[in-house]
């Protein structure tokens, strides 16, 4: 395990009360926190009931820093370094077959984002890294070695940046002169390519940084695998609670739950219908997502874009009867 640099930043959990209310932890129950971070959700679950929590994080620093919490709640908390997309295998390696609830709080923690040497942010320049796992290809590898069309596609799809082609071209031109090594260098290249933002006050580099982070960590692929794995490991009646921070993630969660609740329409009037309610495995408990209160947003501006969606695993007998309450 790698050495942990002390961070002055503490992650403030977003919508922790709403997530724990959704999961309804009970004495003797077993829950999975797929994104341990600083342990905000984990601690809230363990405080709510005399339950067990198995917590996963792909960041070795988060797992190392969580050992104090594991000791405080011993033997009710187990910490595992790994990806939530692999939760079924990680649980079975622990001898656990199913759980009564799964929480996912997507994206990066404040410890990751605000620590310049993790390379997620352009506010303080650091190495262009962005790897949650601290291994594999970094943002610098992608930016300096990816081809122009691939970069433009990533910046368009994951950053929803209208000027993605212009940004990709500027990156390729800049790296001909010199390898792009820091978040500060990249932010300057992007700002020059995008130009002034008009009424949008966010930094013009924000969308490109989001896109690269999603690509480096394969965040949407992980989300897809994590949702499918959660559906598999949940016991009947168990709840899935997912907090997302941008529209790409929220759409993926919404569509997954809709499809598994049997509410995906056939592609056209003439096409055969897709899986109907008789094949449903989940009940959709939030057709509209839960959003943070004004008070939470005022206290923690990071909560502003959060969306919580909740689903419940059906028993086999319920799905064959249409998945209705
Ligand atoms: C927003 S933070 C979670 C904060 C946490 N709920 C808390 O209250 O402290 C997201 C965490 O999830 C981790 N993470 C992101 N994607 C992951 C994945 N696919 N598998 C495991 N951990 C992941 C990140 O490393 C980060 O520590």
């Amino acid at each position: 395990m790698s050495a942990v640099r002390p961070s002055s930043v503490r992650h403030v959990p977003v919508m922790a009360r709403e997530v724990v209310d959704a999961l309804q932890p009970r004495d003797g129950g077993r829950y999975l926190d797929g994104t341990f971070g600083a342990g905000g959700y984990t601690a809230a679950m363990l405080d709510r009931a005399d339950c067990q929590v198995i917590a996963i994080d792909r960041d070795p620093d988060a797992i190392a820093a969580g050992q104090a919490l594991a000791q405080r709640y011993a033997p009710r908390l187990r910490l595992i370094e790994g990806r939530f997309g692999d939760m079924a295998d990680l649980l079975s390696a622990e001898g656990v077959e199913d759980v009564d609830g799964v929480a996912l709080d997507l994206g990066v923690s404040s410890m990751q984002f605000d620590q310049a040497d993790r390379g997620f942010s352009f506010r303080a320049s650091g190495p262009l890294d962005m790897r949650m796992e601290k291994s594999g290809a970094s943002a610098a590898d992608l930016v300096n070695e990816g081809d122009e069309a691939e970069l433009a596609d990533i910046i368009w799809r994951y950053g929803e940046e209208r000027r993605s082609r212009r940004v990709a071209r500027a990156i390729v031109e800049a790296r001909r002169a010199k390898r792009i090594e820091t978040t500060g260098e990249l932010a300057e290249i992007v700002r020059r390519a995008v130009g002034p933002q008009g009424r949008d006050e966010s930094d013009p580099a924000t969308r490109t940084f989001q896109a690269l982070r999603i690509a480096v960590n394969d965040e949407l692929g992980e989300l897809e695998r994590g949702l499918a794995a959660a559906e598999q490991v949940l016991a009947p009646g168990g709840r899935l609670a997912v907090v997302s921070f941008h529209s790409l993630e929220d759409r993926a969660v919404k569509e997954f739950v809709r499809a598994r609740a049997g509410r995906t329409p056939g592609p056209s009037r003439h096409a055969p219908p897709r899986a109907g309610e008789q094949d449903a495995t989940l009940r959709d408990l939030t057709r509209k997502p839960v959003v943070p209160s004004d008070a939470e947003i005022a206290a923690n501006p990071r909560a502003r874009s959060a969306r919580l969606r909740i689903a419940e695993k059906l028993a086999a007998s319920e799905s064959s009867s249409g998945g209705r309450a």
Side-chain angles (χ1 to χ4, degrees):
M1 202 169 279
S2 64
V4 184
R5 283 186 6 87
S7 166
S8 54
V9 199
R10 253 348 250 171
H11 182 90
V12 180
V14 173
M15 288 205 283
R17 187 180 49 76
E18 289 85 343
V19 168
V20 177
D21 285 351
L23 296 181
Q24 303 179 324
R26 57 173 172 77
D27 292 354
R30 192 162 51 199
Y31 301 87
L32 182 111
D33 180 350
T35 50
F36 175 74
Y41 289 5
T42 288
M45 287 190 252
L46 290 164
D47 288 340
R48 182 74 67 93
D50 186 12
C51 60
Q52 281 182 36
V53 173
I54 297 162
I56 297 174
D57 204 294
R58 72 195 289 187
D59 184 340
D61 286 0
I63 297 298
Q67 295 308 321
L69 206 66
Q71 274 169 21
R72 185 177 337 144
Y73 287 100
R76 293 195 294 137
L77 170 59
R78 276 186 265 179
L79 281 181
I80 305 173
E81 185 181 327
R83 299 181 185 183
F84 60 62
D86 297 328
M87 70 175 82
D89 291 341
L90 294 171
L91 284 176
S92 92
E94 294 285 310
V96 174
E97 249 175 48
D98 58 16
V99 291
D100 301 301
V102 172
L104 298 178
D105 182 14
L106 302 174
V108 286
S109 67
S110 302
M111 290 81 70
Q112 292 166 329
F113 193 77
D114 295 339
Q115 228 168 280
D117 64 0
R118 297 301 304 266
F120 287 101
S121 168
F122 46 77
R123 296 215 171 84
S125 189
L128 193 50
D129 190 317
M130 302 194 187
R131 295 169 301 174
M132 292 185 196
E133 268 161 20
K134 302 180 117 184
S135 62
S138 68
D141 296 331
L142 181 58
V143 159
N144 288 291
E145 284 145 40
D147 73 32
E148 189 176 325
E150 180 196 3
L151 287 172
D153 187 50
I154 286 170
I155 295 166
W156 167 256
R157 277 200 291 145
Y158 301 152
E160 300 179 294
E161 168 60 68
R162 281 185 300 120
R163 295 175 179 158
S164 55
R165 290 215 191 108
R166 204 191 289 189
V167 173
R169 197 173 323 123
I171 288 173
V172 169
E173 270 164 25
R175 77 190 189 192
R176 271 193 207 114
K178 174 192 168 300
R179 191 176 157 87
I180 305 164
E181 300 280 9
T182 69
T183 58
E185 284 164 22
L186 178 65
E188 263 320 298
I189 294 164
V190 178
R191 287 181 193 125
R192 276 201 302 272
V194 172
Q197 286 294 283
R199 284 188 302 155
D200 180 355
E201 283 168 19
S202 65
D203 190 300
T206 308
R207 290 185 291 277
T208 296
F209 271 65
Q210 172 185 300
L212 293 172
R213 193 200 87 202
I214 290 174
V216 164
N217 296 289
D218 185 21
E219 290 180 41
L220 294 176
E222 259 303 296
L223 178 56
E224 198 181 307
R225 288 186 287 278
L227 293 171
E231 177 196 23
Q232 192 190 327
V233 302
L234 275 172
R239 299 264 181 98
L240 167 66
V242 187
V243 175
S244 59
F245 289 87
H246 56 76
S247 55
L248 295 171
E249 290 170 342
D250 183 53
R251 200 178 310 141
V253 179
K254 179 174 79 181
E255 283 171 7
F256 175 84
V257 173
R258 269 198 188 158
R260 296 306 207 266
R263 290 198 290 111
T264 317
S268 86
R269 263 187 320 133
H270 309 293
R274 298 220 182 101
E277 287 191 355
Q278 71 278 10
D279 301 313
T281 51
L282 295 177
R283 177 179 292 127
D284 186 356
L285 299 181
T286 44
R287 293 197 180 193
K288 286 223 165 85
V290 181
V291 295
S293 65
D294 292 344
E296 177 165 9
I297 295 171
N300 180 15
R302 216 182 71 81
R304 199 180 43 238
S305 50
R307 300 282 175 273
L308 165 64
R309 291 189 185 267
I310 308 159
E312 188 173 284
K313 177 80 176 275
L314 296 170
S317 57
E318 288 178 286
S319 38
S320 57
S321 66
R324 292 189 192 85

